Amino acid sequence: MNKQAILRDFIETVWNQGKIDAIPDFIAAQYHIEHDPGDPWDGQRLDVAGFQNRVAQSRAPVPDQCFDIQALFDSDDSVCMTWLWHGTHLGEIAGIPPSGKTLRMSGATVYRFDGQRISGHWQVADRLGVFQQLQANR
């Protein structure tokens, strides 16, 4: 399977459907979050269990979240994905109680590959926009 197909399957299965048990099928033994400002895991190296914990914690306040892939571009060992994200605010985020409102965000992520496994990412995302939406929903 090519890297773009693997990434599409990973995003749909893990992030959109929340199938945390499928993570070992996609993630390398060590996953490096190279650059992801505003993400509590920025700069960390995670094993598979650590990545599973990250996904569970990230999805908890917005369990119906969905990444809509806009475009994919690949190079030798990576795939760049531009995306739009949305989900319903059903759990506390940064001390802000659930509003039941839809949150939206955009971003771009470069996923690194080690063979057929995803081994890390470098990402920019509009977290400020999400925070502004949370403040407006109070």
Side-chain angles (χ1 to χ4, degrees):
M1 190 179 301
N2 71 40
K3 293 184 309 260
Q4 286 190 17
I6 292 167
L7 184 58
R8 281 184 188 280
D9 195 21
F10 168 70
I11 295 299
E12 181 58 32
T13 303
V14 173
W15 286 106
N16 292 352
Q17 296 176 19
K19 295 182 179 175
I20 293 171
D21 291 342
I23 289 172
D25 296 337
F26 297 100
I27 298 299
Q30 288 291 307
Y31 186 95
H32 183 204
I33 302 169
E34 299 172 42
H35 175 85
D36 200 343
D39 186 310
W41 294 272
D42 183 34
Q44 293 186 29
R45 291 183 186 276
L46 304 174
D47 60 13
V48 172
F51 193 88
Q52 288 173 311
N53 180 54
R54 176 179 182 262
V55 172
Q57 286 187 37
S58 297
R59 287 184 48 80
V62 189
D64 66 344
Q65 69 176 271
C66 182
F67 284 90
D68 294 320
I69 297 171
Q70 301 301 296
L72 296 171
F73 310 92
D74 60 15
S75 68
D76 293 337
D77 69 345
S78 60
V79 176
C80 178
M81 177 179 89
T82 56
W83 47 266
L84 299 174
W85 173 93
H86 65 275
T88 311
H89 180 207
L90 299 177
E92 183 180 308
I93 298 174
I96 299 172
S99 67
K101 304 275 175 112
T102 298
L103 300 173
R104 299 184 187 287
M105 177 172 49
S106 61
T109 309
V110 177
Y111 285 95
R112 307 275 187 227
F113 280 75
D114 182 3
Q116 298 291 298
R117 302 272 190 217
I118 304 167
S119 61
H121 75 262
W122 190 104
Q123 176 169 271
V124 290
D126 184 20
R127 287 192 174 89
L128 175 59
V130 171
F131 184 73
Q132 290 170 331
Q133 292 169 65
L134 290 168
Q135 292 296 316
N137 292 340
R138 284 185 137 182

